Amino acid sequence: MSEKKLFAIFGNPVSHSRSPLMHNCVFKNLNYPASYIRVHLEDGTKLRETFLSLGLSGANITVPHKEEAYKACDEIRGFANSVGVVNTIVNENGKLIGYNTDADGFMFSIKEFGDIKTALILGAGGTAKALASRFVQDNIDVTVLNRSASRLDSFKKTVSTCSTWDKYETKKYDLVVNTTSAGLKDDDLPAPQEIINDILDNTSFVADAIYGKLTPFLQLAKDKNITFKDGADMLLGQGVLANELFTCKKLKVKDIKEHMSYSFNI
Ligand code: NDP
């Protein structure tokens, strides 16, 4: 019988994380010999030694340690190289291999929207950076709209248009994504109401990175009968891809998705 593997999520805070439930649901129901725990980590520079001392086979990393996780790895593969941010680590014969499944998870979550050619990203933080970079890779024409100008600087070389609210100009988009934290703990819209109304009247699909609630932004999209989704599928998408890496592709993606989706109803 194969040895039982141990996986973990590192974060601060981490008590709210759904990842243990999501991954354990897959392991248990597909009889994969592994379990998944939460590790509250104050100091991100201790990530590597904590990972090794726990004898982990892999881990996910959440706020605020994703950049430290990038530094903790021996090798970075795929998209994580483009953004310098790691959310998944796999222990490959003692070497820590870093991946980023957040942006691919998002792409996985919007597959049902079909072919997206133009996208507007609301916000210019870490999530916006990962999504913008991933969209550009897929030849999607990207506009970034943010409250403050300073954070837009790092986007100017990669995306076609960057704008603050006062410079916003009406344009048609296939997809609009809210990556701001507006609506997470408040009832704010990601931009002034007249801009949001204009944006929603000119888009085909809407997505929000926030999950577990209908944000005021999504409520407006719903009122306007626009097809929308919250961040739960993004969370699911990154989790499915991480689990596929953890289980060395021994489980079928379809099965991982089925059991991980089920964990959202528990
Ligand atoms: P960051 O802190 O890096 O960026 C936050 C962005 O939100 C900034 O652009 C900021 O603008 C903007 N913002 C904050 N408050 C407001 C407001 N009231 N009105 C307008 N803009 C505002 O955050 P992250 O990119 O790490 O995370 C963003 C969101 O995405 C969070 O809600 C997080 O929970 C969610 N998320 C979801 C994931 C999932 O799997 N579903 C994965 C990762 C993140 P400014 O520059 O002007 O300050």
Side-chain angles (χ1 to χ4, degrees), residues 60-224:
N60 287 121
I61 299 88
T62 187
V63 191
H65 300 312
K66 292 186 186 184
E67 265 126 13
E68 278 301 334
Y70 178 88
K71 292 183 206 154
C73 292
D74 296 297
E75 188 185 325
I76 303 292
R77 290 196 192 144
F79 180 71
N81 279 304
S82 319
V83 279
V85 175
V86 158
N87 80 322
T88 302
I89 296 179
V90 176
N91 186 341
E92 215 175 84
N93 306 315
K95 278 195 165 181
L96 271 53
I97 315 294
Y99 300 86
N100 185 309
T101 69
D102 278 333
D104 278 340
F106 183 80
M107 299 313 282
F108 175 97
S109 83
I110 59 162
K111 263 190 187 153
E112 65 200 65
F113 290 163
D115 199 15
I116 300 294
K117 292 199 165 30
T118 55
L120 171 65
I121 297 177
L122 303 173
T127 307
K129 208 165 150 189
L131 294 192
S133 194
R134 189 62 185 73
F135 285 172
V136 169
Q137 267 184 16
D138 274 15
N139 296 318
I140 297 173
D141 184 84
V142 178
T143 298
V144 179
L145 180 67
N146 196 44
R147 178 175 60 183
S148 63
S150 57
R151 270 183 153 139
L152 289 171
D153 288 346
S154 65
F155 289 84
K156 284 181 182 153
K157 278 191 188 142
T158 45
V159 308
S160 66
T161 315
C162 284
S163 170
T164 46
W165 296 348
D166 53 327
K167 305 263 166 49
Y168 169 75
E169 281 173 22
T170 302
K171 210 171 131 186
K172 285 210 174 293
Y173 297 100
D174 295 330
L175 172 70
V176 176
V177 194
N178 175 33
T179 72
T180 77
S181 31
L184 182 65
K185 293 184 187 144
D186 49 46
D187 289 328
D188 291 349
L189 285 167
Q193 174 114 33
E194 62 277 18
I195 295 182
I196 294 298
N197 274 329
D198 188 81
I199 288 169
L200 291 176
D201 291 340
N202 287 286
T203 188
S204 306
F205 300 103
V206 166
D208 202 317
I210 295 170
Y211 61 87
K213 68 181 285 196
L214 193 66
T215 58
F217 176 63
L218 289 187
Q219 181 64 58
L220 255 186
K222 188 179 178 191
D223 294 345
K224 288 175 185 282

